[in-house]
Amino acid sequence: MTKATWNGVTIAESDKTVVVEGNHYFPPGSVRKEFLQRSSKTSRCPWKGMARYYSLVVDGKTNEDAAWYYPEPSTAAANIKDYVAFWNGVDVR
């Protein structure tokens, strides 16, 4: 079971993550959406496409742009459509 935690709270947990470039992408249903806040940040990966971001909000603390996902990935990355990955201090193990 892979778990993503930040600020003492489990944000996502799944035994069906997909690992791409060393990052665990969590299925959408395994992510606790009450801790996600949409961000205006985007970035582009040459082979995955346009990523959109979430900030995490836990117990009054915010971790800006700490999660990302691909709502419309390229064909090569279709298997991670809407899956969520984490960084910026989020512990994934």
Side-chain angles (χ1 to χ4, degrees):
M1 187 70 71
T2 305
K3 191 185 287 192
T5 59
W6 183 71
N7 200 25
V9 172
T10 298
I11 306 297
E13 188 172 18
S14 177
D15 60 358
K16 292 180 171 56
T17 64
V18 176
V19 179
V20 177
E21 297 178 331
N23 295 301
H24 283 269
Y25 284 78
F26 289 81
S30 70
V31 180
R32 296 180 64 193
K33 302 226 185 315
E34 67 266 27
F35 297 116
L36 304 182
Q37 183 177 62
R38 286 198 189 277
S39 167
S40 60
K41 179 180 174 68
T42 61
S43 64
R44 178 168 290 287
C45 171
W47 73 272
K48 291 186 296 264
M50 180 72 72
R52 303 215 177 265
Y53 288 76
Y54 292 112
S55 294
L56 302 179
V57 180
V58 176
D59 292 333
K61 294 184 181 172
T62 302
N63 188 343
E64 296 289 335
D65 307 324
W68 73 93
Y69 67 103
Y70 292 89
E72 297 175 13
S74 68
T75 303
N79 63 323
I80 59 167
K81 177 179 172 50
D82 294 327
Y83 277 46
V84 180
F86 300 93
W87 71 319
N88 201 26
V90 178
D91 184 33
V92 178
R93 56 171 107 184

